[in-house]
Amino acid sequence: ASHEAQVLTGTASDLDHDAIVIGAGMSGMFQLIRLRELGMKTQVFEAGTGVGGTWYWNRYPGARFDSESYSYGYSFDKDLLKEWSWTEHFAPQPETERYLNLVADKYDLRRDIRFSARVTAAAWDEARRGWTVTLEDGSRHSSRFLITAIGALSAPTMPNFPGMDEFRGESYHTALWPKTPVEFAGKRVAVIGTGASGVQVIQEVSKTAAQLTVFQRTPNWCAPLHNAKISPEEMEEIRSRYDEIFKRCGETFSCFLHTPDPRNTFDVTPEEREAFLEKLYSERGFGIWVGNFKDMLTNRAANEEISRFVANKIRQRVKDPKVAEMLIPKDHGFGTRRVPLETNYYECYNQPNVKLVDVRATPIERITPTGIRTSDAEYEFDIIIYATGFDALRGAFDRIDFTGKGGIKLKDKWADGATSLVGMLVDDFPNMFMLLGPHTALGNIPRSIEYNVEWVTALLRHMQAHGKTYAEARPEAVERWMAHVMECAVGLLSMEVDSWMTGVNRNVEGRQKRIVARYTGSAPTYRAWCDEVAAKGYRDLTLA
Ligand code: N01
């Protein structure tokens, strides 16, 4: 009772804003639009100098969608769908950044966004029933609600090689790429890392660099993107199908246009199987990964079939058999990590200016003032590109000092792995809503973003209608949800493999052990759960 009495004392007038949103990427932008519609005075803080989040920071050469452009853009605004034309099936980063700036213009979003404003801390203030947010410049700002729109893959990580500061050439992380163009012509370039970012940057840099040396620790299974331009006529045709496109994304397993084939791998004859895999390999986008036989990621023998098929493709495409074998993953099956989509990635290694170094066989010992020293060679470089990924899912939260009820730190609460209710709320952290928090359905991310923003908006609307100013997940509801999250991951081959999807990042302390780091059920199952929380009048939350 004393708690109830205490929390009821806060009044909105004590607070600077109704809501603070951290981040002006795709989720923060859309949330701002919806909060304005609720009549909420909102302040967005953004660390960058422009909108776009992922599409603002990741401006490395070759950065582009792996989801079909027209399945990726916002769907909530029919006029925007009419206005905007995508020029490629998988749009490059500059086009997407332009698109998001158009949205910011159209809705006049920038007047509520403070740029170059990195949030360092956020603390629950029981007495005022709100949040106090601290920026890097030391200024403090308060609000009733706090919405984190900080991304799932937004905290870049660097390796810990000795000598990294001593390198006299240029070095870049793919996710912190400068706005000014980087010249590769005539240069000796190193790329460390062969995930989705590495694969994209390697393809592009190999076109102009005098020499490109790729330092690979774990090869990934890659598959052809089959990108193509979209003509104005084709765009008109796509536009006429938008309702159908977004309806489909609402029904598929991970919100892509592709979804698992209802057949199992061994339901068909070997000839039919080969023909189906050939078809998927020759088709645009993620079909080969998320549109494959439905047991491909759970049945070991089925997974070996598809792995064998793709290994043979790599052998056909790479001329030097030794290099081909280096590029074929031996310690995990196809699709058990995120499949990078590529355009002539394997063919790069047939070029005389491209060399592949296996750092498991010959580890990097240090970065020298002039390049990289491995256990068996000394390389000279003008440019080193770190395509070394992110402290995924958790990293963006850990960079901010979140303090909840009674001084509890989010970092401590999540010491053994994040917990949440539907990925959007955490008990002990009232009035804080996470867009793209841990355990939200990811997949084709903007589809998940739109769903989560609408869910949070509906909750806020419900609270307004009922005169409530306090929302907190009930611990027993968190427990039920987490049991479901754990159950979804049982039997997945991906759970046997180190990757950001299983919470492993060897460059970050405390991320060495595999965990159920994300929601692995289907997006429709996720949404059904969230819808039910709402339909039952938010009984899984304490509202006051
Ligand atoms: O990061 P990653 P990413 N020494 O973690 C290597 C999304 N995305 O930025 O595998 C040597 O996948 C590391 O090696 P290993 C997408 O969801 C989307 O590429 O740990 N190597 C690995 O090869 C993706 O999955 C798009 O052995 C080191 C690489 O660095 C996610 O973002 C485009 C090392 C990191 O790969 C992350 O992708 C790009 C070390 N010390 C990204 N440390 C599109 O949709 C790390 N590595 C278009």
Side-chain angles (χ1 to χ4, degrees), residues 353-373:
N353 65 332
V354 180
K355 180 182 162 75
L356 182 64
V357 176
D358 173 359
V359 300
R360 292 229 175 148
T362 57
I364 295 176
E365 288 183 342
R366 69 176 298 121
I367 308 294
T368 67
T370 52
I372 294 177
R373 185 195 303 153

Side-chain angles (χ1 to χ4, degrees), residues 42-85:
T42 303
Q43 176 68 60
V44 181
F45 292 117
E46 165 56 51
T49 61
V51 298
T54 285
W55 302 106
Y56 168 87
W57 295 103
N58 288 270
R59 47 183 78 242
Y60 61 85
R64 67 173 62 252
F65 291 153
D66 278 347
S67 307
E68 286 74 1
S69 308
Y70 31 88
S71 75
Y72 192 100
Y74 287 121
S75 72
F76 71 91
D77 177 343
K78 298 255 186 236
D79 292 333
L80 181 65
L81 292 171
K82 276 189 208 132
E83 250 169 80
W84 178 262
S85 295

Side-chain angles (χ1 to χ4, degrees), residues 196-208:
S197 304
V199 165
Q200 289 187 329
V201 83
I202 289 162
Q203 289 165 184
E204 201 55 35
V205 173
S206 71
K207 293 177 186 165
T208 50

Side-chain angles (χ1 to χ4, degrees), residues 132-144:
T132 307
V133 167
T134 309
L135 304 186
E136 209 165 33
D137 67 8
S139 63
R140 288 163 156 242
H141 310 265
S142 61
S143 63
R144 175 74 73 211

Side-chain angles (χ1 to χ4, degrees), residues 455-529:
W455 193 90
V456 167
T457 305
L459 168 60
L460 290 170
R461 194 177 293 118
H462 175 90
M463 291 175 72
Q464 284 181 334
H466 294 81
K468 309 285 185 194
T469 52
Y470 180 94
E472 184 190 358
R474 292 186 193 275
E476 59 280 14
V478 170
E479 231 168 82
R480 265 198 314 278
W481 166 253
M482 289 310 297
H484 168 64
V485 171
M486 295 300 151
E487 200 178 74
C488 290
V490 173
L492 294 180
L493 296 172
S494 59
M495 285 307 303
E496 300 171 7
V497 181
D498 287 351
S499 77
W500 69 259
M501 295 187 167
T502 49
V504 178
N505 182 329
R506 277 182 255 166
N507 300 321
V508 183
E509 218 189 298
R511 302 277 194 274
Q512 315 298 312
K513 217 176 64 197
R514 267 176 235 151
I515 55 165
V516 179
R518 67 190 174 111
Y519 183 70
T520 53
S522 78
T525 308
Y526 172 79
R527 289 189 295 256
W529 191 295

